Amino acid sequence: MSSVGLLYVGAVLFVNGLMLIGLVPGKSAGILNFFVGGMQVLFPTVIILQADNNLPAIFAAAGLYLFGFTYLYVGILQFTGITGEGLGWFSLFVAACAVVIGILQFTMINDPVFGVIWFVWAILWFMFFLLLGLGKKSLTHATGWFTILISQPTATIPAFFLLVGKYETNAALAVLLAVLAVIALAAALFLGRNAVRTRDAAEAPGILQTV
């Protein structure tokens, strides 16, 4: 069941990234956030109710709420116009939890691939914190591009492998994923910096005319 939810996490991350770079309107993206956020709250609740005190199952389900609440929060913000500082600080909490879960994936669960995936999510949610919690608007496009670039390798692709019973995890795959994540982050920062420069160049004539 969590694998099904992970599949749609890839979709909502992709759309939210497009929203951040200005290609998808906020309310249009907000609808998908409600759908996926609702799924990411319903699924772990069902898993926990059926877990019969199975701690590994409960642990796996608990992390899903971090995403479910995030997406529902995004949907609410897009339709109400409420400012995003609260979501930004919640994202810091999500990032910290993602680091802990990532460490546990390496040390207790012996799944280095998802260990890396959780660390990548920690970086992404920390960028959400910088953007929304601290108001670092210059990171908008960089955050959007990083969201787009990591949406498929960390969610959709592993979800498909899990759903067809072909998922594998080992150190080599984890290193490969980590390298791809570093490249994605570098590319996102580069694209974000270019977007800021383009915006500043477009605004320059108006500033000069005003002066």
Side-chain angles (χ1 to χ4, degrees):
M1 187 179 295
S2 59
S3 302
V4 175
L6 185 62
L7 179 66
Y8 291 97
V9 166
V12 76
L13 285 176
F14 180 72
V15 171
N16 284 345
L18 293 176
M19 176 181 67
L20 286 171
I21 66 174
L23 294 182
V24 173
K27 288 186 178 180
S28 181
I31 295 172
L32 183 60
N33 277 272
F34 279 126
F35 289 155
V36 179
M39 178 187 297
Q40 293 293 87
V41 170
L42 176 62
F43 280 9
T45 300
V46 172
I47 292 172
I48 290 172
L49 290 175
Q50 297 178 344
D52 193 26
N53 292 324
N54 184 329
L55 290 181
I58 294 173
F59 170 75
L64 300 179
Y65 286 113
L66 298 171
F67 303 109
F69 292 155
T70 297
Y71 304 137
L72 289 175
Y73 210 145
V74 170
I76 292 170
L77 293 184
Q78 296 308 315
F79 279 92
T80 63
I82 298 172
T83 57
E85 291 88 349
L87 176 57
W89 285 94
F90 175 68
S91 295
L92 179 62
F93 171 79
V94 174
C97 288
V99 170
V100 174
I101 295 174
I103 293 172
L104 293 175
Q105 295 288 333
F106 280 102
T107 58
M108 293 182 60
I109 301 175
N110 195 28
D111 188 344
V113 168
F114 264 94
V116 172
I117 287 174
W118 277 100
F119 287 155
V120 174
W121 287 338
I123 295 170
L124 178 60
W125 259 256
F126 185 72
M127 293 178 74
F128 291 153
F129 162 66
L130 295 176
L131 174 61
L132 298 170
L134 299 185
K136 304 291 186 180
K137 302 302 182 185
S138 61
L139 291 175
T140 300
H141 276 76
T143 304
W145 278 112
F146 189 56
T147 306
I148 292 168
L149 293 172
I150 62 93
S151 63
Q152 307 312 299
T154 65
T156 304
I157 294 174
F160 272 122
F161 278 108
L162 286 165
L163 288 169
V164 299
K166 298 295 184 180
Y167 174 75
E168 295 182 8
T169 182
N170 54 58
L173 288 173
V175 170
L176 175 61
L177 183 59
V179 170
L180 291 175
V182 170
I183 293 173
L185 181 59
L189 293 173
F190 174 77
L191 292 168
R193 190 175 300 112
N194 279 353
V196 171
R197 289 174 180 171
T198 301
R199 182 200 63 194
D200 291 344
E203 293 176 351
I207 296 174
L208 291 175
Q209 290 171 8
T210 301
V211 175

